[in-house]
Amino acid sequence: MNEAYIFDVLRTPRGKGKTTGALYEIKPIYLLATILRALEQRTALNTALVDDVILGCVGPINDQGFNIAKAGIMYAGWDVNAGGMQINRYCGSGLEAVNLAAMKVKAGWDELIVAGGTESMSRVPIGSDGGALLYDPEVINQLDYIPQGISADLIATLEGFSREEVDAYALLSHQRAAQAWEEQLFQRSIIPIHDQNGLLMLDKDEHIRPETTIESLNGLSPAFEQLGKKGFNEMALHKYPMVEKINHVHTAGNACGVVDGAALVLVGSKAMGEKLGLKPRAKILSASNISVEPTIMLTGPAPAANKALKRAKMKKEDIDLWECNEAFSAIVLKFLKDMDLNTDVVNVNGGAIAMGHPLGATGAMLLGTLLDELERRDLNTGLVTLCVGGGMGVSTIIERV
Amino acid sequence: MIHYKKDIDNIVTLTLDMQGRSANVINHEIREAFIPVLRHLQAEKKKGYLKGVILTSAKKTFLAGGDLEYLYKANDPTEIFTFAEQMKAFLRDLELPGVPVVAALNGSAIGAGFELALACHHRIAINHPKIKFGLPEVEIGLIPGGGGIIRLMWLLGIEKAFPILTEARRYNPQEALRVGIIDELANNEKDLLCKAKDWLLANQDQRRPWDRPGHEIPGGSANNHSTASMIRGLAANLAASTHHNYPALQAILNVLSDGSKVDFDTACRIEGRFYTDLVMSKECKNMIKAFWYDLNQIKAGINRPKGFGKFRPKKLGIIGAGRMGSGIAYAALKHGLEVVIKDVSRPIADRGREFIENKLAESIAAGEIEASDRTAYLKRISTTDTSKDFETCDLVIEAVFENKMVKEKVTREAEQFIDEYAFFATNTISIPITELAKASSRPENYIGLHFFHPADTIPLVEIVKGATTSDETVARAFDFVRAIGKTPIVVKDDWGFYAARVRNTYILEGVTMLQEGYSPALIENLGRQLGMPKGPLEWADDLGLDMVMRYEEQAAAHYGPKYIQHPAVKVLTKMIKELDRSGAKKKKGFYDYQKEVIIWPELTECFSCEVDLNVNLQELKERFLFAQVIEAIWCLQEKVIISYAAANLGSIYGWGFPAFKGGVIQYINDYGVEQFLERCDVLKEQFGQRFQAPKILEKVAAKAVWS
């Protein structure tokens, strides 16, 4: 079979996903076009050779609706030959886009694909596109489908993660992210956002709070307690009746930030790399997606990682660095526990708790962060995994070349 | 059946008057009768001879609901759906633009009857508190099927329609006006017809909101983000409070949500499909069985001794102004009786009056009672410290605390003054009536009347016949319970009577699971999720573990050498004797009551419970239900209770056995008779003799099937 190589990774800085965020002012398609143009320029890409552009977007409605992938490349002035499609595997969309690209290339049917994702949560908040899982009372109740925050609290309850433990992990994320920015570790991949006059709008992740302390985290009130009392806690107990009550440990401080951002990964075959004069940075060894019981919903990362490892005929010891999306502290703690790993090798430059989680883009961002760090440390293999709505999990393993 | 009258202003009055019935009901007949009338009206309209229609009734009720006996037997979805479609087509004919129609509501309109009123352009009601309107179909596991959900949604919006459709409330005209289901009040019949005519003459061009182009549902459809979020909240709340056990409640929300996104006629068909599904459902059949057939049997007096004239109590004496005594007093007061409350002193007796004043205030605030009637209610209560004031009472109920000597003393005192015809009742929960009757000077007039907490709202009363109680006293007690609007069941003077005895098996089964190592949270959650009002351990704590134990000891004494000890006894003994945790009263039991009420953290350790994610939930749930059903069968076999109807309703009203199962006996039908017997064998094999099916079970099961 052919190999799928990664030639470049890049992302925008993440703006706060609210009206006071630096990227709220710009249209989602402008955000996307900025990074598409940056990719074109820095790789001197002949966009006529791009077979497809696959982009994750979890709120494909309004400004992000009607296939933002194709809309974005046209607006960015790419060659008419390039196709584009938008996909939605919820929080795993950005990584799923990379996996699909790798599959197309490995199958030999396509040679060059731009994968990634985009999400302007300040413009299109989560849930804007409706959907049966969120708003159809028959479906919600038939499945006991609960909000993710309650699922995260349920995981913490079942696993016995205390508020102190989840806060301690959140603090680590903030400290690591702040340190990484300080040392300019993300510099290679960040594409600053300018307006049409070239005036700078944002060049740094806006959500990090370096001043975060354990005390400030401890002082925050539980984010999902009120929601739980509306009936969702009781729904969780329908599936998990062994739980006396849900321990609401998650807060705005130990859950991922709501942000705007976009990321791209250039994937292609060896021959195409040579043709374009691009040096492969890594190859994609395997990819997986799985699904678990949907009420607890967010325990997918470990089984997804294990499936990817098995597919690559690797053991966990063969992986040098790991990225597990910080949707909530408990998701990472559960992943560490399931995989018997420690934080020395997982999310070493912080994650979504500190920097935010632009839903459709995050998977591609994590892959880029991982690749940059493997190169910096001169290590070889890395695994990315995310928990995903509906109980799913997505994972990808890369190896430097 | 429909009287037609046209006046000089070309206003037609249609008066419903179904022959051979005391009330008008919705059935095939009424639709058939309407077809020629509607045709005639359409012809008149074409000719320009018609300005409006007034719909009213010649009966005391305007129009009652659907035909439950038809619905109970209906088992062909095509027929059910088609009938609903025809009914809707008829209602649509009535309301489609052309001629305005007013419902002149001179009496109650409930269920399908109110759906007809909703299909009129305007609703005017006589302002009389006895008249009621509402859509309480969910009470029997059903939903409106004539477009009622959709019309209400278009009139009020989803948020306001939801409680009206799910709370099964019956609104008097003033409340109905306030919540928006009627439009206008009239003082009397004449005023009603006048107002109807005035409205028709002033409102010639009438279109229902859903027939007006561009008109929207108030608050928006479920496509609207904030409405969708509100619906999600309602869904969660519903799931939490009913644990998916009541499909009709869920169907209301489903129909509102989905129906709001499409046009009116399509929405009505969506409603019709859910309606059909529910008519076919076990839950609906079970609930019609319990709340129609069984209840009617009881009301008809299947367990009332025959040959005694109807007793019409006017004045009730209560001894003991505690919560129980005051609750009984309030129930009687609401049904027009006079009440004397006695306690050891006037100030203490006055607490009963205070309780009633508070309850009245609540009822007035809720709109159930008119504020102007408050004084009349309070006039009918008096308080005293002497039994002499019982002289004019038709019966006296003592609700003093559970002590034999005290009960004997108050009995003797009261009997000095009450007349020969009056009877005396005790509200004991655990002392045999036959024993207490020994202190009575007229033991044939001495009986047990077992009310349940809170006595003013729980609809069940156990009538306990002692060895010396006369049949006439039983009949009079029965009539009294009916007179205060409650459901009487006649039970034998054995330990725990019926309700407490059967309920105890649920508690004991839960306690046994603890011994088997299941986590207490699992036990409690499963109990509630299968539809019981409380977890078994919580219930044990509330009653007191010694009380739970006492019932079982009484069973042991009753059966003598045949008694096989329940495995729960060991746990209860350990809890009471070793761990000194006897329940909520002591602020320590299975639960801990220090800061907040939580399961006692050390409980899992004491009984080596494990949190296992792979337990057989279905089996545990069945043990809870089977334990109760089998005990109820024992009660039938031992004549503790004497009818299936009483056993079913007693279980639902008395201790909250799941209503959607139709009660303890109907549960066997729901489960399948054969399957139930087979399952008993399996459970007996695995968990012990207590799951042995009593001999008469096969007979009971066969006969319990409704034919």
Side-chain angles (χ1 to χ4, degrees):
Chain A
M1 210 181 338
N2 303 309
E3 291 293 349
Y5 292 93
I6 297 173
F7 298 112
D8 200 7
V9 294
L10 60 169
R11 72 167 172 102
T12 69
R14 290 172 251 193
K16 284 184 187 169
K18 43 187 176 185
T19 53
T20 53
L23 301 180
Y24 174 63
E25 243 183 78
I26 61 168
K27 295 186 285 194
I29 198 167
Y30 186 90
L31 178 74
L32 174 59
T34 302
I35 192 169
L36 285 166
R37 284 195 203 98
L39 173 68
E40 185 185 357
Q41 280 160 19
R42 69 190 232 168
T43 57
L45 191 64
N46 177 359
T47 56
L49 296 175
V50 173
D51 288 307
D52 208 353
V53 176
I54 307 173
L55 294 179
C57 180
V58 183
I61 189 172
N62 299 335
D63 288 346
Q64 296 182 159
F66 207 64
N67 189 0
I68 193 169
K70 182 60 181 163
I73 54 177
M74 290 197 280
Y75 179 60
W78 282 27
D79 192 277
V80 293
N81 281 343
M85 73 165 170
Q86 171 267 322
I87 61 163
N88 182 7
R89 198 190 285 285
Y90 311 123
C91 306
S93 303
L95 194 63
E96 182 66 45
V98 175
N99 291 350
L100 281 174
M103 289 172 204
K104 287 178 172 228
V105 171
K106 287 186 83 132
W109 283 17
D110 278 338
E111 296 272 342
L112 187 65
I113 297 185
V114 176
T118 188
E119 201 82 42
S120 294
M121 299 181 75
S122 63
R123 286 288 185 99
V124 188
I126 187 168
S128 295
D129 56 339
L133 279 179
L134 294 187
Y135 300 115
D136 183 327
E138 182 179 11
V139 175
I140 296 168
N141 283 357
Q142 183 184 309
L143 303 176
D144 281 315
Y145 200 84
I146 59 177
Q148 300 192 338
I150 309 284
S151 300
D153 285 341
L154 174 63
I155 293 170
T157 305
L158 281 167
E159 299 294 334
F161 301 144
S162 67
R163 172 70 189 269
E164 288 67 32
E165 288 172 280
V166 293
D167 277 348
Y169 181 79
L171 182 65
L172 184 67
S173 177
H174 277 284
Q175 288 169 340
R176 284 179 158 179
Q179 181 77 21
W181 271 100
E182 175 108 21
E183 293 173 14
Q184 302 199 323
L185 304 187
F186 302 127
Q187 215 52 40
R188 176 170 178 189
S189 297
I190 294 285
I191 306 300
I193 305 297
H194 298 89
D195 74 358
Q196 60 268 52
N197 309 298
L199 304 177
L200 181 66
M201 298 186 78
L202 187 69
D203 63 354
K204 198 169 180 228
D205 290 332
E206 203 181 15
H207 187 269
I208 311 178
R209 290 182 303 271
E211 71 283 5
T212 301
T213 62
I214 198 73
E215 289 74 26
S216 66
L217 287 170
N218 286 166
L220 298 169
S221 47
F224 305 102
E225 195 167 15
Q226 290 310 315
L227 198 58
K229 279 185 191 157
K230 284 186 178 169
F232 294 112
N233 282 349
E234 201 65 42
M235 289 168 81
L237 301 195
H238 289 157
K239 289 280 182 70
Y240 296 87
M242 60 293 294
V243 172
E244 182 181 359
K245 59 176 193 178
I246 308 282
N247 189 13
H248 292 290
V249 297
H250 288 101
T251 66
N254 56 38
C256 58
V258 173
V259 294
D260 301 338
L264 298 176
V265 179
L266 184 61
V267 179
S269 66
K270 192 167 190 174
M272 182 57 84
E274 283 162 3
K275 186 170 174 184
L276 293 171
L278 293 170
K279 191 174 167 296
R281 291 173 65 185
K283 69 178 173 188
I284 296 169
L285 295 184
S286 80
S288 72
N289 76 78
I290 54 94
S291 196
V292 298
E293 193 283 302
T295 296
I296 201 160
M297 200 186 312
L298 307 175
T299 56
N306 283 323
K307 188 172 176 181
L309 285 169
K310 195 175 165 201
R311 201 163 262 175
K313 298 193 173 56
M314 293 171 85
K315 297 191 299 290
K316 84 171 198 216
E317 289 75 21
D318 299 329
I319 302 294
D320 296 324
L321 287 177
W322 307 71
E323 286 288 329
C324 171
N325 187 33
E326 296 174 351
F328 300 89
S329 267
I331 280 44
V332 181
L333 297 182
K334 168 78 172 150
F335 177 72
L336 294 173
K337 188 172 167 184
D338 287 349
M339 300 298 290
D340 191 22
L341 292 168
N342 66 54
T343 49
D344 292 348
V345 288
V346 179
N347 302 346
V348 294
N349 288 327
I353 291 174
M355 294 176 282
H357 175 20
L359 307 173
T362 305
M365 284 189 179
L366 295 182
L367 191 78
T369 303
L370 180 70
L371 179 52
D372 285 346
E373 188 63 15
L374 285 173
E375 288 173 350
R376 191 179 75 88
R377 297 192 183 196
D378 196 19
L379 295 169
N380 285 319
T381 55
L383 183 149
V384 186
T385 184
L386 299 93
C387 59
V388 180
M392 297 185 286
V394 179
S395 183
T396 306
I397 299 176
I398 57 169
E399 182 183 28
R400 281 176 61 215
V401 289
Chain B
M1 141 143 229
I2 299 170
H3 305 303
Y4 180 102
K5 204 181 93 194
K6 192 163 161 186
D7 68 9
I8 48 165
D9 292 315
N10 283 333
I11 301 281
V12 165
T13 302
L14 300 177
T15 308
L16 301 176
D17 191 6
M18 291 178 89
Q19 271 97 53
R21 286 180 180 268
S22 60
N24 297 315
V25 300
I26 283 264
N27 58 11
H28 293 79
E29 245 178 89
I30 196 163
R31 190 180 63 89
E32 305 286 311
F34 256 105
I35 290 171
V37 178
L38 285 177
R39 231 172 260 147
H40 179 75
L41 289 174
Q42 280 156 1
E44 292 273 281
K45 196 210 139 207
K46 255 189 206 155
K47 290 186 238 157
Y49 295 160
L50 185 60
K51 283 213 146 161
V53 177
I54 298 172
L55 203 54
T56 190
S57 159
K59 313 273 191 194
K60 265 192 190 161
T61 58
F62 174 76
L63 185 56
D67 185 340
L68 294 185
E69 299 186 11
Y70 165 75
L71 292 171
Y72 186 67
K73 286 170 189 147
N75 61 4
D76 174 9
T78 310
E79 184 193 318
I80 300 164
F81 184 74
T82 309
F83 176 53
E85 284 291 290
Q86 288 168 344
M87 191 57 75
K88 280 180 293 194
F90 148 55
L91 296 177
R92 208 70 186 109
D93 270 352
L94 195 66
E95 75 180 1
L96 273 174
V99 180
V101 183
V102 172
L105 302 163
N106 57 329
S108 296
I110 301 289
F114 191 68
E115 287 193 273
L116 175 63
L118 280 176
C120 298
H121 299 91
H122 195 67
R123 284 160 295 286
I124 310 176
I126 294 182
N127 185 14
H128 189 288
K130 283 264 161 69
I131 293 177
K132 303 284 175 187
F133 306 114
L135 296 164
E137 284 89 341
V138 292
E139 263 178 359
I140 48 154
L142 208 51
I143 59 174
I149 299 178
I150 307 302
R151 286 194 175 85
L152 205 63
M153 172 178 78
W154 270 95
L155 290 173
L156 303 179
I158 293 174
E159 193 168 14
K160 284 186 181 161
F162 183 74
I164 295 170
L165 291 161
T166 52
E167 287 172 3
R169 272 194 65 183
R170 287 142 176 91
Y171 302 87
N172 67 36
Q174 290 195 5
E175 296 170 277
L177 183 70
R178 185 163 45 78
V179 299
I181 57 176
I182 64 163
D183 305 305
E184 210 179 333
L185 295 177
N187 296 322
N188 50 46
E189 197 110 2
K190 195 174 159 218
D191 186 33
L192 177 71
L193 295 174
C194 263
K195 282 188 164 145
K197 187 170 169 178
D198 289 350
W199 189 88
L200 287 170
L201 292 173
N203 295 276
Q204 276 297 295
D205 184 28
Q206 275 302 303
R207 276 170 190 274
R208 307 308 307 270
W210 45 93
D211 288 327
R212 288 176 214 154
H215 207 76
E216 283 186 8
I217 296 167
S221 80
N223 281 328
N224 177 315
H225 192 79
S226 65
T227 308
S229 294
M230 184 265 297
I231 289 173
R232 190 186 194 198
L234 291 176
N237 197 302
L238 191 60
S241 56
T242 61
H243 308 294
H244 312 317
N245 289 326
Y246 290 89
L249 294 170
Q250 181 70 47
I252 297 272
L253 194 55
N254 296 349
V255 170
L256 287 171
S257 172
D258 206 23
S260 72
K261 299 177 182 176
V262 296
D263 65 83
F264 179 82
D265 291 314
T266 308
C268 284
R269 279 197 306 281
I270 291 173
E271 179 194 281
R273 292 182 202 283
F274 276 96
Y275 168 83
T276 304
D277 187 35
L278 288 166
V279 173
M280 296 292 295
S281 72
K282 274 188 179 181
E283 288 86 352
C284 175
K285 308 285 187 199
N286 287 341
M287 287 164 88
I288 293 180
K289 171 79 166 68
F291 300 124
W292 177 254
Y293 289 102
D294 286 348
L295 190 58
N296 283 347
Q297 279 199 352
I298 289 175
K299 282 182 183 169
I302 47 162
N303 297 139
R304 181 188 184 274
K306 306 277 178 296
F308 303 99
K310 189 163 179 194
F311 172 59
R312 290 185 173 82
K314 300 254 169 353
K315 190 168 178 183
L316 164 70
I318 295 277
I319 309 174
R323 264 169 55 211
M324 181 56 87
S326 309
I328 299 169
Y330 185 56
L333 200 65
K334 274 204 294 192
H335 286 84
L337 274 72
E338 252 184 90
V339 185
V340 186
I341 304 174
K342 172 187 173 286
D343 212 311
V344 289
S345 70
R346 276 298 276 277
I348 293 180
D350 280 340
R351 287 181 198 165
R353 186 200 301 273
E354 282 163 32
F355 174 93
I356 288 165
E357 283 171 351
N358 291 337
K359 285 281 166 190
L360 274 173
E362 283 172 26
S363 297
I364 290 167
E368 293 157 12
I369 289 176
E370 299 296 313
S372 52
D373 291 341
R374 187 174 175 275
T375 324
Y377 274 96
L378 291 175
K379 257 191 190 159
R380 285 190 276 114
I381 328 170
S382 57
T383 54
T384 181
D385 58 1
T386 165
S387 295
K388 194 166 183 314
D389 292 330
F390 290 146
E391 269 178 342
T392 51
C393 285
D394 299 304
L395 73 155
V396 173
I397 302 172
E398 65 81 1
V400 299
F401 61 89
E402 199 71 356
N403 176 298
K404 195 166 173 234
M405 300 233 311
V406 179
K407 286 185 183 290
E408 287 168 349
K409 180 166 169 280
V410 299
T411 306
R412 284 195 210 98
E413 282 173 9
E415 282 182 343
Q416 284 176 32
F417 297 100
I418 56 178
D419 69 37
E420 265 173 47
Y421 192 69
F423 69 91
F424 190 94
T426 172
N427 186 53
T428 179
I429 51 166
S430 59
I431 310 171
I433 306 303
T434 307
E435 282 300 307
L436 288 172
K438 286 176 185 161
S440 166
S441 56
R442 293 168 307 164
E444 67 282 2
N445 283 16
Y446 190 92
I447 197 164
L449 277 184
H450 182 207
F451 287 81
F452 297 81
H453 268 305
D456 52 311
T457 54
I458 302 285
L460 190 76
V461 179
E462 286 181 325
I463 296 178
V464 193
K465 185 178 188 288
T468 51
T469 312
S470 72
D471 276 355
E472 185 175 14
T473 301
V474 174
R476 283 150 73 197
F478 188 97
D479 294 343
F480 162 71
V481 175
R482 293 282 300 125
I484 61 167
K486 293 192 186 290
T487 305
I489 60 172
V490 180
V491 300
K492 192 173 163 189
D493 188 17
D494 267 353
W495 85 92
F497 313 129
Y498 170 66
R501 171 176 164 178
V502 181
R503 177 190 63 198
N504 220 46
T505 59
Y506 164 67
I507 296 170
L508 294 174
E509 203 57 37
V511 172
T512 305
M513 291 172 190
L514 197 60
Q515 171 81 3
E516 293 166 15
Y518 291 104
S519 77
L522 177 75
I523 297 168
E524 296 294 83
N525 284 330
L526 285 189
R528 290 184 305 107
Q529 287 170 12
L530 65 83
M532 295 296 292
K534 288 182 192 182
L537 305 179
E538 181 191 354
W539 222 334
D541 268 14
D542 287 355
L543 292 168
L545 271 56
D546 32 14
M547 191 70 213
V548 176
M549 189 73 146
R550 178 142 36 122
Y551 287 128
E552 193 55 19
E553 283 163 359
Q554 286 173 324
H558 178 85
Y559 290 116
K562 281 193 285 181
Y563 174 75
I564 299 167
Q565 197 183 63
H566 198 292
V569 170
K570 262 198 224 159
V571 181
L572 290 169
T573 310
K574 183 170 174 178
M575 287 293 292
I576 300 167
K577 299 262 164 65
E578 276 177 45
L579 301 167
D580 188 28
R581 302 188 69 89
S582 62
K585 220 183 267 173
K586 290 275 172 63
K587 296 225 169 283
K588 42 185 189 173
F590 290 117
Y591 282 75
D592 201 61
Y593 300 81
Q594 302 310 320
K595 270 184 250 147
E596 47 171 347
V597 183
I598 51 164
I599 292 170
W600 182 42
E602 286 163 53
L603 196 59
T604 46
E605 208 177 302
C606 285
F607 296 98
S608 330
C609 304
E610 278 177 27
V611 174
D612 183 356
L613 294 179
N614 299 306
V615 287
N616 185 344
L617 301 179
Q618 194 52 35
E619 182 181 273
L620 292 174
K621 286 183 180 179
E622 282 182 3
R623 282 172 61 185
F624 277 133
L625 293 169
F626 273 58
Q628 298 174 68
V629 174
I630 290 171
E631 190 67 14
I633 304 284
W634 280 112
C635 286
L636 280 167
Q637 184 158 317
E638 294 169 9
K639 307 222 175 332
V640 169
I641 190 141
I642 47 181
S643 70
Y644 304 149
N648 278 333
L649 277 181
S651 70
I652 296 170
Y653 288 158
W655 72 93
F657 188 87
F660 66 96
K661 294 290 186 193
V664 269
I665 305 301
Q666 178 63 15
Y667 178 76
I668 302 169
N669 285 325
D670 180 283
Y671 196 87
V673 179
E674 290 292 311
Q675 293 90 326
F676 186 88
L677 289 166
E678 280 166 26
R679 192 77 181 120
C680 283
D681 285 343
V682 175
L683 292 174
K684 183 182 117 187
E685 201 63 31
Q686 228 179 321
F687 300 103
Q689 197 60 27
R690 64 185 184 281
F691 287 103
Q692 162 82 49
K695 260 193 224 128
I696 65 155
L697 176 56
E698 277 181 57
K699 205 177 87 195
V700 169
K703 271 177 75 179
V705 179
W706 193 264
S707 52

